[in-house]
Short mmCIF file of all heavy atoms in Angstrom, two decimals:
data_model
loop_
_atom_site.label_atom_id
_atom_site.label_comp_id
_atom_site.label_asym_id
_atom_site.label_seq_id
_atom_site.Cartn_x
_atom_site.Cartn_y
_atom_site.Cartn_z
N GLU A 123 -16.95 5.37 -14.05
CA GLU A 123 -17.96 5.81 -15.03
C GLU A 123 -19.25 4.90 -15.02
O GLU A 123 -20.36 5.38 -15.04
CB GLU A 123 -17.34 5.85 -16.35
CG GLU A 123 -17.90 6.50 -17.48
CD GLU A 123 -18.26 7.89 -17.24
OE1 GLU A 123 -17.52 8.53 -16.55
OE2 GLU A 123 -19.45 8.26 -17.53
N ARG A 130 -27.50 6.41 -12.08
CA ARG A 130 -28.62 7.18 -12.57
C ARG A 130 -29.78 6.34 -13.03
O ARG A 130 -30.81 6.89 -13.29
CB ARG A 130 -28.11 8.07 -13.84
CG ARG A 130 -27.66 9.43 -13.38
CD ARG A 130 -27.12 10.19 -14.48
NE ARG A 130 -25.77 10.67 -14.19
CZ ARG A 130 -24.74 10.42 -14.92
NH1 ARG A 130 -24.87 9.78 -16.10
NH2 ARG A 130 -23.55 10.71 -14.57
N GLY A 437 -10.83 45.06 -6.20
CA GLY A 437 -11.14 44.61 -7.52
C GLY A 437 -9.89 44.15 -8.27
O GLY A 437 -9.97 43.42 -9.21
N ALA A 440 -8.81 43.50 -12.27
CA ALA A 440 -10.01 43.62 -13.02
C ALA A 440 -10.35 45.12 -13.24
O ALA A 440 -11.28 45.36 -13.90
CB ALA A 440 -11.17 42.96 -12.26
N ASN A 441 -9.41 45.92 -12.74
CA ASN A 441 -9.50 47.36 -13.20
C ASN A 441 -10.83 48.09 -12.98
O ASN A 441 -11.41 48.67 -13.91
CB ASN A 441 -9.17 47.37 -14.70
CG ASN A 441 -8.97 48.72 -15.30
OD1 ASN A 441 -8.41 49.55 -14.71
ND2 ASN A 441 -9.43 48.90 -16.61
N THR A 442 -11.28 48.00 -11.73
CA THR A 442 -12.65 48.58 -11.43
C THR A 442 -12.41 50.00 -10.79
O THR A 442 -13.34 50.71 -10.80
CB THR A 442 -13.42 47.67 -10.49
OG1 THR A 442 -12.53 47.34 -9.34
CG2 THR A 442 -13.88 46.50 -11.22
N GLU A 446 -10.98 55.87 -7.39
CA GLU A 446 -12.31 56.46 -7.17
C GLU A 446 -13.11 55.70 -6.20
O GLU A 446 -13.14 54.42 -6.22
CB GLU A 446 -13.02 56.49 -8.53
CG GLU A 446 -12.41 57.26 -9.71
CD GLU A 446 -11.53 56.39 -10.47
OE1 GLU A 446 -11.05 55.39 -10.05
OE2 GLU A 446 -11.24 56.77 -11.71
N ASP A 617 -14.01 50.02 -1.96
CA ASP A 617 -14.61 50.85 -3.05
C ASP A 617 -16.10 51.07 -2.73
O ASP A 617 -16.88 50.13 -2.96
CB ASP A 617 -14.41 50.06 -4.43
CG ASP A 617 -14.98 50.93 -5.55
OD1 ASP A 617 -15.85 51.73 -5.36
OD2 ASP A 617 -14.53 50.63 -6.72
N GLU A 619 -18.44 52.76 -3.87
CA GLU A 619 -19.46 52.77 -4.92
C GLU A 619 -19.73 51.48 -5.51
O GLU A 619 -20.80 51.15 -5.99
CB GLU A 619 -18.93 53.68 -6.08
CG GLU A 619 -19.31 55.12 -5.90
CD GLU A 619 -18.88 55.90 -7.16
OE1 GLU A 619 -17.69 55.88 -7.53
OE2 GLU A 619 -19.80 56.54 -7.79
N LEU A 620 -18.76 50.63 -5.56
CA LEU A 620 -18.92 49.26 -6.13
C LEU A 620 -19.06 48.19 -5.09
O LEU A 620 -19.48 47.01 -5.33
CB LEU A 620 -17.79 48.87 -7.05
CG LEU A 620 -17.75 49.55 -8.38
CD1 LEU A 620 -16.47 49.16 -9.19
CD2 LEU A 620 -18.92 49.23 -9.27
N ASP A 677 -18.26 29.15 -7.70
CA ASP A 677 -19.20 30.04 -7.06
C ASP A 677 -19.06 30.06 -5.47
O ASP A 677 -19.61 30.92 -4.84
CB ASP A 677 -20.64 29.81 -7.44
CG ASP A 677 -20.91 30.35 -8.87
OD1 ASP A 677 -20.46 31.49 -9.16
OD2 ASP A 677 -21.42 29.62 -9.70
N ILE A 680 -13.15 31.23 -2.18
CA ILE A 680 -12.25 31.29 -1.06
C ILE A 680 -11.14 32.26 -1.44
O ILE A 680 -10.83 32.42 -2.62
CB ILE A 680 -11.73 29.93 -0.63
CG1 ILE A 680 -10.95 29.23 -1.85
CG2 ILE A 680 -12.80 29.00 -0.13
CD1 ILE A 680 -10.43 27.88 -1.47
N ASP A 685 -6.05 38.11 -2.39
CA ASP A 685 -7.00 38.58 -1.51
C ASP A 685 -6.48 38.67 -0.04
O ASP A 685 -6.91 39.48 0.83
CB ASP A 685 -8.28 37.67 -1.44
CG ASP A 685 -8.96 37.69 -2.73
OD1 ASP A 685 -9.69 38.67 -3.03
OD2 ASP A 685 -8.79 36.72 -3.54
N ASP T 38 -19.90 16.24 -16.17
CA ASP T 38 -20.89 15.36 -16.85
C ASP T 38 -21.96 16.23 -17.50
O ASP T 38 -23.09 15.71 -17.71
CB ASP T 38 -21.35 14.40 -15.90
CG ASP T 38 -21.42 12.94 -16.52
OD1 ASP T 38 -21.00 12.88 -17.66
OD2 ASP T 38 -21.74 12.05 -15.80
N ARG T 41 -21.26 15.05 -23.10
CA ARG T 41 -20.70 13.66 -23.34
C ARG T 41 -20.60 13.52 -24.84
O ARG T 41 -21.37 12.76 -25.53
CB ARG T 41 -21.77 12.65 -22.79
CG ARG T 41 -21.20 11.28 -22.57
CD ARG T 41 -19.91 11.26 -22.11
NE ARG T 41 -19.75 11.79 -20.70
CZ ARG T 41 -19.58 11.04 -19.61
NH1 ARG T 41 -19.61 9.72 -19.74
NH2 ARG T 41 -19.36 11.60 -18.49
N GLN T 172 -10.51 50.44 -22.66
CA GLN T 172 -10.48 50.10 -21.36
C GLN T 172 -11.40 48.83 -21.10
O GLN T 172 -12.42 48.72 -21.82
CB GLN T 172 -11.11 51.14 -20.42
CG GLN T 172 -10.13 52.38 -20.17
CD GLN T 172 -8.99 52.05 -19.22
OE1 GLN T 172 -9.04 51.15 -18.46
NE2 GLN T 172 -7.87 52.83 -19.32
N PHE T 173 -11.05 47.97 -20.25
CA PHE T 173 -11.94 46.91 -19.89
C PHE T 173 -11.92 46.82 -18.38
O PHE T 173 -10.94 47.02 -17.73
CB PHE T 173 -11.40 45.57 -20.39
CG PHE T 173 -12.12 44.39 -19.89
CD1 PHE T 173 -13.35 43.99 -20.44
CD2 PHE T 173 -11.65 43.60 -18.89
CE1 PHE T 173 -14.09 42.95 -20.06
CE2 PHE T 173 -12.33 42.48 -18.39
CZ PHE T 173 -13.58 42.15 -18.94
N CYS T 174 -13.09 46.59 -17.76
CA CYS T 174 -13.18 46.37 -16.35
C CYS T 174 -14.23 45.38 -15.98
O CYS T 174 -15.32 45.21 -16.74
CB CYS T 174 -13.44 47.64 -15.60
SG CYS T 174 -14.31 48.98 -16.37
N ARG T 179 -14.23 38.70 -5.74
CA ARG T 179 -12.92 38.37 -5.19
C ARG T 179 -11.93 39.08 -5.99
O ARG T 179 -12.20 39.45 -7.19
CB ARG T 179 -12.82 36.80 -5.26
CG ARG T 179 -11.48 36.19 -5.25
CD ARG T 179 -11.59 34.72 -4.91
NE ARG T 179 -11.67 33.92 -6.11
CZ ARG T 179 -11.76 32.52 -6.09
NH1 ARG T 179 -11.82 31.94 -4.93
NH2 ARG T 179 -11.80 31.86 -7.17
N ASN T 180 -10.76 39.27 -5.47
CA ASN T 180 -9.78 40.13 -6.15
C ASN T 180 -9.02 39.56 -7.38
O ASN T 180 -8.09 40.17 -7.88
CB ASN T 180 -8.85 40.78 -5.15
CG ASN T 180 -9.60 41.83 -4.30
OD1 ASN T 180 -10.12 42.80 -4.81
ND2 ASN T 180 -9.62 41.67 -3.01
N ARG T 260 -24.29 34.90 -8.05
CA ARG T 260 -23.13 35.88 -8.14
C ARG T 260 -23.48 37.27 -7.84
O ARG T 260 -22.59 38.06 -7.55
CB ARG T 260 -22.45 35.80 -9.45
CG ARG T 260 -21.83 34.39 -9.71
CD ARG T 260 -21.29 34.13 -11.02
NE ARG T 260 -21.06 32.72 -11.16
CZ ARG T 260 -21.09 32.11 -12.41
NH1 ARG T 260 -21.39 32.79 -13.48
NH2 ARG T 260 -20.92 30.84 -12.45
N TYR T 265 -27.79 45.17 -8.40
CA TYR T 265 -26.48 45.45 -8.24
C TYR T 265 -25.70 45.48 -9.60
O TYR T 265 -24.85 46.39 -9.84
CB TYR T 265 -25.73 44.38 -7.33
CG TYR T 265 -24.27 44.69 -7.23
CD1 TYR T 265 -23.78 45.69 -6.53
CD2 TYR T 265 -23.32 43.89 -8.00
CE1 TYR T 265 -22.43 45.96 -6.42
CE2 TYR T 265 -21.94 44.18 -7.99
CZ TYR T 265 -21.54 45.19 -7.19
OH TYR T 265 -20.20 45.43 -7.22
N HIS T 268 -26.42 48.78 -11.22
CA HIS T 268 -25.65 49.87 -10.50
C HIS T 268 -24.15 49.81 -10.85
O HIS T 268 -23.60 50.87 -11.18
CB HIS T 268 -25.96 49.69 -8.99
CG HIS T 268 -24.92 50.50 -8.17
ND1 HIS T 268 -25.14 51.87 -7.92
CD2 HIS T 268 -23.75 50.14 -7.57
CE1 HIS T 268 -24.12 52.30 -7.21
NE2 HIS T 268 -23.29 51.24 -6.87
N ARG T 275 -18.98 54.89 -16.23
CA ARG T 275 -18.62 56.29 -15.85
C ARG T 275 -17.04 56.39 -15.66
O ARG T 275 -16.42 57.22 -16.17
CB ARG T 275 -19.37 56.73 -14.70
CG ARG T 275 -18.96 58.12 -14.07
CD ARG T 275 -20.10 58.68 -13.26
NE ARG T 275 -20.60 57.77 -12.30
CZ ARG T 275 -20.14 57.53 -11.08
NH1 ARG T 275 -18.91 58.03 -10.72
NH2 ARG T 275 -20.73 56.70 -10.20
N ARG T 276 -16.57 55.40 -14.86
CA ARG T 276 -15.14 55.44 -14.54
C ARG T 276 -14.30 55.20 -15.79
O ARG T 276 -13.34 55.88 -16.09
CB ARG T 276 -14.80 54.51 -13.45
CG ARG T 276 -15.36 54.88 -12.10
CD ARG T 276 -14.86 53.84 -11.09
NE ARG T 276 -15.50 54.20 -9.78
CZ ARG T 276 -15.37 53.36 -8.64
NH1 ARG T 276 -14.80 52.23 -8.80
NH2 ARG T 276 -15.90 53.75 -7.54
N TRP T 280 -11.29 57.35 -17.59
CA TRP T 280 -9.87 56.87 -17.90
C TRP T 280 -9.58 56.94 -19.35
O TRP T 280 -8.45 57.44 -19.70
CB TRP T 280 -9.61 55.44 -17.33
CG TRP T 280 -9.87 55.21 -15.95
CD1 TRP T 280 -9.87 56.22 -14.93
CD2 TRP T 280 -10.51 54.07 -15.35
NE1 TRP T 280 -10.38 55.67 -13.76
CE2 TRP T 280 -10.76 54.33 -13.98
CE3 TRP T 280 -10.74 52.84 -15.89
CZ2 TRP T 280 -11.26 53.40 -13.05
CZ3 TRP T 280 -11.29 51.89 -14.93
CH2 TRP T 280 -11.51 52.10 -13.61
#
Side-chain angles (χ1 to χ4, degrees):
Chain A
E123 191 54 43
R130 265 179 242 125
N441 190 36
T442 49
E446 299 91 337
D617 182 334
E619 272 188 301
L620 286 175
D677 286 312
I680 56 178
D685 297 282
Chain T
D38 228 355
R41 198 36 70 100
Q172 288 284 340
F173 172 80
C174 30
R179 157 163 93 179
N180 288 303
R260 292 175 197 151
Y265 175 76
H268 166 82
R275 173 159 47 82
R276 289 182 182 173
W280 305 328

